[in-house]
Amino acid sequence: MELYTILNRKCCSTNIEAKTKDEALKSLAELATNSPLLEKYSAGEVFDRLRSREEQGSTGFGNEIAIPHARLEGVDDFLLFIALAPKGVEFAAMDKKKVKLFFVILGPEEKVNEHLKVLASVSRVVSQGN
């Protein structure tokens, strides 16, 4: 899958103003609801899913990057968007650095393998910059 085909510019932001992980996830959830793919979801519901995934382990990738992701019931396709937090957010990243760049992936509940492929593709792109 070509990542540009699922990237939604309407959800992207260059100015996330969050200090905590929960504040960042709330901001990202609000951005996600700009996509027609998530018309059935409120920002609160998206936040709950992202937070639930974070409770399993931080998606803080390292090098000031995080890849929050979740699967949602009733969503037909994948959504990818990028958000920048210029001041950084405490996100429990592997390297303990604040996260400034978020790559958010949301996709259909039943497409587990495809979700993992999208996640792997984003991880590869992010790793190439290191």
Side-chain angles (χ1 to χ4, degrees):
M1 173 182 294
E2 298 291 335
L3 293 177
Y4 71 87
T5 64
I6 61 170
L7 181 67
N8 186 318
R9 292 184 189 134
K10 291 180 182 178
C11 298
C12 295
S13 174
T14 59
N15 196 26
I16 298 291
E17 293 187 19
K19 294 178 183 166
T20 67
K21 181 185 276 196
D22 275 356
E23 287 176 2
L25 293 175
K26 285 178 184 175
S27 294
L28 296 172
E30 288 173 16
L31 288 171
T33 61
N34 290 331
S35 171
L37 284 174
L38 301 184
E39 65 187 4
K40 298 175 187 175
Y41 282 88
S42 69
E45 291 168 320
V46 175
F47 167 76
D48 288 343
R49 285 302 189 81
L50 288 171
R51 189 165 193 269
S52 176
R53 170 55 191 86
E54 286 298 322
E55 288 172 356
Q56 297 173 22
S58 179
T59 59
F61 190 80
N63 291 325
E64 301 179 335
I65 297 169
I67 310 174
H69 56 96
R71 292 180 291 128
L72 305 167
E73 185 177 328
V75 173
D76 296 327
D77 206 353
F78 287 92
L79 168 65
L80 170 67
F81 64 95
I82 302 166
L84 178 67
K87 295 180 182 177
V89 179
E90 294 292 344
F91 212 79
M94 292 188 297
D95 62 1
K96 309 292 187 220
K97 291 182 182 178
K98 287 184 176 183
V99 169
K100 293 184 178 178
L101 189 59
F102 295 89
F103 292 84
V104 184
I105 303 165
L106 299 167
E109 179 90 66
E110 67 281 358
K111 294 188 178 180
V112 178
N113 289 336
E114 291 90 338
H115 187 92
L116 293 173
K117 288 178 184 177
V118 172
L119 185 57
S121 293
V122 171
S123 296
R124 260 191 310 279
V125 168
V126 169
S127 294
Q128 289 175 356
N130 297 329

